[in-house]
Amino acid sequence: MASFIGKLVAGALPLFGGLSPGNTNGGLVNYQGRPDFLGSSAPWGSVTYDGDTVNQKTPETGVTRYYDFNIARAKLSPDGYQRDMIVVNGQYPGPLIEANWGDWIEVTVTNNITNPEEGTAIHWHALLQKDTPYYDGVPGISQCPIAPGESFTYRFRADHVGTTFYHSHYSAQVNAGVSGPIVFHGPKSQNWDYDVGPVLISDWFHKEYFEIVKGVMGSGADRIAATSVNNLINGKMNFDCSTVTDGTPCVSNAGVSKFTLKPGKDNLLRIINGGSAGLQYFSVDDHLMTVVAMDFIPIKPYTTNVITLGVGQRTDVIIHGKTGNLTNQAYWIRSNISTTCALPDQPYGLAALYYSDADSDANKVPTSQPQDYDVTRFGCGNEPLTLTQPLTPMPVKEPDTTVTINVIDTLNATGNDEYLLNNRTFHANYNLPVLKAVIEGTGSNTTTFDPLWNVLPTGDSKVFRIVWENQKFDPADPNLYALTFAHPMHLHGHDYQVLSAGPGPWDGSLDADASNALRRDTHILPPNGHLVVQFETDNPGVWPFHCHVAWHVSAGFDVNILERAQDLVNLPNTAEVMNQTCTAWDAWSATNVVDQIDSGLRMAMERS
Ligand SMILES: *[C@@H]1O[C@H](CO)[C@@H](O)[C@H](O)[C@H]1NC(C)=O
Ligand SMILES: *[C@@H]1O[C@H](CO)[C@@H](O)[C@H](O)[C@H]1NC(C)=O
Ligand SMILES: *[C@@H]1O[C@H](CO)[C@@H](O)[C@H](O)[C@H]1NC(C)=O
Ligand SMILES: *[C@@H]1O[C@H](CO)[C@@H](O)[C@H](O)[C@H]1NC(C)=O
Ligand SMILES: *[C@@H]1O[C@H](CO)[C@@H](O)[C@H](O)[C@H]1NC(C)=O
Ligand SMILES: *[C@@H]1O[C@H](CO)[C@@H](O)[C@H](O)[C@H]1NC(C)=O
Ligand SMILES: *[C@@H]1O[C@H](CO)[C@@H](O)[C@H](O)[C@H]1NC(C)=O
Ligand SMILES: [Cu+2]
């Protein structure tokens, strides 16, 4: 390991700026130093935020924040290795979206992807989209893809306080670079002095996403595992270019991200796993972190030297700044991809940490030693539920419906990888999103949905419980893979309560405190284990509940919760808004071949 880090920082200076920001990230990416709120005063006054999305009132600010997103191809070298990417406004990661709690946000997204053309759609991860389910950004579910050359304007509410991100939900396009952070300012659940801003972590691949998905979905000998080759922090890391033999332009020591803390102050870091597959362990040398929020929910603070982050998860931490001569040193920020629960070639992400009052070279290379933490106790999952409790308790209610979903990873009749959820797999119809089918009545009851849409209606249920079972339950079946994987399970439209998560089948008992279970929008379903969650059906919509590993949702790992179908049918504007993308997509797809090699949510093979 010492030799690896040695190689990455070899002849170390310049460790930073070996490549210009234009070449690496399409421009300088720096989200640091966020204000406490936008504008001249905090519009929420004395209201506190407790993350209770069922009961909490979001303040009316009367403000709309406008953004323009141009989605286009670009050749960039985030880690020094040049590759074809698809990015927002020419940069990776994309621009920060920032608003006060209660503001509206309007983003006009233009699909400027050419040579070749393809669709796009942007999902605003973890937003509830209450009364605006048609702006959730999932092609084949809540909209048609935005056709090449077309624009679509999303308008939605900043309905939480905290940290999240946006990403393309069209096939595995997120892997090409279509993602960026979101910060919603609001009442603080804990005091901090300085907002260091988003720290977006992403496992990294050098192949184009279409090639990776083709490999993952391939049959027999054509099947290629999706191995990540690097790990980026805010879109930067070094790469050892001596391994590149095919002439691809590559610069070793492209540079890592740098962060600055205020000495003696409480510094907030907003850590996001915005990657494709890797389970990340995040730590900072010589510093402890106080966890204050997980996803959008304030947490009873606890202090640790490591946090776990499955893809789609966020954790806000406070780091108390050092003082005296310790602030003259530089420290490594590290994010390590799990080598047992993911497939990284090079698992180690690095960024450099400095203090604002450092008296010497601000480019000095850290020499600090890594935290010594044991990850085996997490068992490819998240922290124990007894450790991570919301600040505002919400007791666990009795569900009126419980659905158990058995997950298996198998090969279908033609030998392609396929996830089966209770024997069903998901495949999007880009031309007829499920929400459109619902309001047009063609699919407004269970009997008429295409089984490949994998729709799960909540009916009249008020409290809906889902038991995910991730077991290899037929050991005799040679088509079942011997291993099951860790799946970060993300539900759109809700913060669910996490009741139980761990190895083996669920035994019916709660791991969480029944008076105060963790709430969040993404939690890991461990390998050979279970995950039990529940939510109240307070948000009419069609909400994907899917694994956030790009290649798993490609292989159909998605069930679409149809919540309060009758309210959806009566929701104003739905038909008009859906028409905007569907009319253009129908026209484009009538004369162009849509290469839908996967499920469509990150890619799906066309079925005959
Ligand atoms: C489309 O992207 C190209 C770069 O690929 C850029 O020059 C052009 O301005 C973009 N068009 C729009 C409408 O943003
Ligand atoms: C830092 O300060 C402490 C006491 O405040 C002193 O013992 C130590 O030698 C100093 N270290 C350096 C590297 O200057
Ligand atoms: C995390 O990564 C560093 C390299 O940056 C390595 O030295 C350290 O051993 C890793 N930690 C664990 C617990 O694997
Ligand atoms: C899946 O289908 C097979 C046969 O088609 C059946 O034996 C099995 O019980 C089904 N499993 C589930 C979980 O529905
Ligand atoms: C559901 O669909 C079936 C078949 O089209 C139809 O007979 C039935 O009336 C529908 N029920 C409702 C409640 O719409
Ligand atoms: C949808 O678009 C088509 C074609 O432009 C139009 O005929 C139809 O009236 C539109 N429907 C709605 C509900 O806007
Ligand atoms: C198996 O899955 C692949 C990829 O989704 C698909 O192209 C193929 O048609 C499927 N085969 C069968 C027999 O369903
Ligand atoms: Cu998965």
Side-chain angles (χ1 to χ4, degrees):
M1 189 37 45
S3 71
F4 167 75
I5 298 290
K7 207 189 274 174
L8 287 179
V9 301
L13 297 175
L15 174 57
F16 311 105
L19 262 186
S20 76
N23 287 326
T24 47
N25 304 101
L28 191 62
V29 171
N30 186 355
Y31 309 120
Q32 292 178 64
R34 311 321 314 157
D36 283 352
F37 46 80
L38 302 180
S40 54
S41 66
W44 50 85
S46 59
V47 178
T48 57
Y49 169 77
D50 58 20
D52 173 354
T53 47
V54 177
N55 302 306
Q56 181 135 37
K57 296 274 175 292
T58 304
E60 289 295 342
T61 61
V63 171
T64 300
R65 313 263 166 204
Y66 297 92
Y67 291 86
D68 277 310
F69 277 13
N70 170 38
I71 316 289
R73 293 188 193 278
K75 268 192 202 307
L76 294 175
S77 314
D79 63 355
Y81 180 98
Q82 189 183 81
R83 56 160 285 193
D84 291 312
M85 297 180 64
I86 303 176
V87 295
V88 181
N89 295 353
Q91 72 175 75
Y92 175 75
L96 173 69
I97 286 188
E98 200 174 10
N100 291 329
W101 186 30
D103 289 350
W104 285 86
I105 295 164
E106 232 181 82
V107 190
T108 298
V109 176
T110 300
N111 179 347
N112 189 13
I113 306 170
T114 55
N115 298 320
E117 295 181 332
E118 63 184 54
T120 193
I122 309 291
H123 171 59
W124 321 95
H125 186 94
L127 272 66
L128 300 175
Q129 299 290 359
K130 192 149 193 175
D131 302 326
T132 53
Y134 37 74
Y135 290 139
D136 194 40
V138 189
I141 309 295
S142 50
Q143 66 168 94
C144 291
I146 303 170
E150 299 290 327
S151 296
F152 180 58
T153 299
Y154 296 86
R155 181 176 165 82
F156 51 86
R157 198 84 191 276
D159 54 22
H160 287 85
V161 174
T163 308
T164 190
F165 69 120
Y166 57 82
H167 62 82
S168 171
H169 227 303
Y170 179 90
S171 187
Q173 216 175 55
V174 59
N175 176 267
V178 186
S179 68
I182 299 180
V183 169
F184 292 153
H185 302 285
K188 295 174 174 176
S189 65
Q190 304 296 326
N191 250 326
W192 65 80
D193 303 304
Y194 178 69
D195 187 345
V196 180
V199 183
L200 189 92
I201 303 162
S202 178
D203 50 2
W204 197 240
F205 301 73
H206 287 160
K207 279 195 241 173
E208 278 196 79
Y209 84 86
F210 202 81
E211 292 306 312
I212 301 173
V213 175
K214 266 203 304 212
V216 173
M217 303 289 293
S219 66
D222 294 337
R223 199 176 137 77
I224 305 165
T227 308
S228 60
V229 297
N230 211 343
N231 196 10
L232 312 187
I233 298 180
N234 278 357
K236 295 175 83 68
M237 182 56 190
N238 293 331
F239 184 72
D240 177 5
C241 294
S242 68
T243 60
V244 179
T245 52
D246 65 358
T248 303
C250 187
V251 177
S252 297
N253 290 352
V256 302
S257 288
K258 295 161 72 174
F259 295 87
T260 307
L261 299 189
K262 301 262 194 236
K265 301 286 187 191
D266 285 328
N267 299 276
L268 183 80
L269 274 70
R270 304 168 176 277
I271 307 152
I272 306 163
N273 184 342
S276 295
L279 168 55
Q280 305 267 357
Y281 299 116
F282 182 90
S283 65
V284 181
D285 293 0
D286 293 335
H287 292 72
L288 294 178
M289 302 176 282
T290 300
V291 174
V292 295
M294 294 175 82
D295 296 352
F296 270 139
I297 309 298
I299 293 291
K300 282 188 197 166
Y302 73 93
T303 298
T304 179
N305 62 1
V306 63
I307 58 169
T308 66
L309 290 158
V311 180
Q313 293 186 309
R314 293 89 62 210
T315 302
D316 289 355
V317 303
I318 292 173
I319 296 181
H320 190 70
K322 295 190 182 298
T323 53
N325 58 14
L326 294 174
T327 65
N328 286 331
Q329 295 176 28
Y331 303 87
W332 285 123
I333 290 176
R334 302 182 197 260
S335 203
N336 293 17
I337 299 175
S338 166
T339 49
T340 47
C341 327
L343 294 170
D345 235 9
Q346 193 304 85
Y348 305 114
L350 295 170
L353 184 70
Y354 302 92
Y355 278 92
S356 58
D357 69 341
D359 67 0
S360 61
D361 180 10
N363 280 331
K364 85 167 75 162
V365 177
T367 53
S368 55
Q369 293 307 305
Q371 295 278 354
D372 183 19
Y373 54 78
D374 167 27
V375 292
T376 55
R377 67 195 148 118
F378 300 123
C380 291
N382 288 121
E383 288 80 0
L385 294 171
T386 45
L387 177 67
T388 52
Q389 289 203 307
L391 211 47
T392 306
M394 271 176 66
V396 176
K397 295 183 178 167
E398 272 307 304
D400 35 35
T401 305
T402 299
V403 176
T404 299
I405 303 179
N406 288 302
V407 178
I408 55 172
D409 183 13
T410 187
L411 298 179
N412 69 9
T414 39
N416 297 98
D417 188 17
E418 189 167 78
Y419 272 93
L420 287 179
L421 314 175
N422 283 353
N423 274 351
R424 284 199 189 182
T425 191
F426 168 73
H427 188 96
N429 181 340
Y430 281 160
N431 297 86
L432 181 52
V434 178
L435 181 56
K436 191 163 189 278
V438 170
I439 60 165
E440 287 174 354
T442 48
S444 60
N445 76 45
T446 18
T447 54
T448 50
F449 287 117
D450 185 330
L452 282 174
W453 296 354
N454 210 4
V455 176
L456 174 59
T458 58
D460 297 328
S461 180
K462 294 219 159 26
V463 179
F464 203 75
R465 181 175 289 183
I466 296 183
V467 181
W468 290 99
E469 290 288 1
N470 184 27
Q471 322 286 340
K472 183 177 184 284
F473 60 79
D474 185 0
D477 185 341
N479 273 345
L480 296 186
Y481 290 130
L483 290 175
T484 67
F485 296 92
H487 304 292
M489 297 303 301
H490 174 56
L491 174 61
H492 293 214
H494 289 279
D495 300 300
Y496 52 62
Q497 285 183 304
V498 188
L499 309 187
S500 182
W506 188 43
D507 65 4
S509 66
L510 305 194
D511 293 346
D513 181 344
S515 67
N516 188 17
L518 175 62
R519 304 189 297 276
R520 65 187 313 178
D521 52 74
T522 311
H523 198 85
I524 299 176
L525 164 63
N528 302 303
H530 64 274
L531 169 69
V532 184
V533 307
Q534 74 181 29
F535 57 92
E536 295 191 35
T537 58
D538 58 347
N539 192 8
V542 183
W543 305 121
F545 198 166
H546 66 93
C547 173
H548 219 288
V549 171
W551 333 122
H552 295 175
V553 72
S554 281
F557 195 153
D558 172 55
V559 57
N560 299 301
I561 312 282
L562 171 56
E563 185 168 334
R564 304 205 348 206
Q566 201 50 52
D567 290 340
L568 277 179
V569 172
N570 297 328
L571 188 70
N573 305 328
T574 312
E576 289 77 5
V577 174
M578 302 207 76
N579 220 11
Q580 292 169 22
T581 49
C582 290
T583 303
W585 182 258
D586 284 347
W588 187 81
S589 59
T591 51
N592 290 273
V593 176
V594 180
D595 236 338
Q596 191 182 342
I597 68 163
D598 68 354
S599 70
L601 293 197
R602 307 256 175 167
M603 287 222 270
M605 308 269 181
E606 207 56 78
R607 277 160 193 279
S608 43

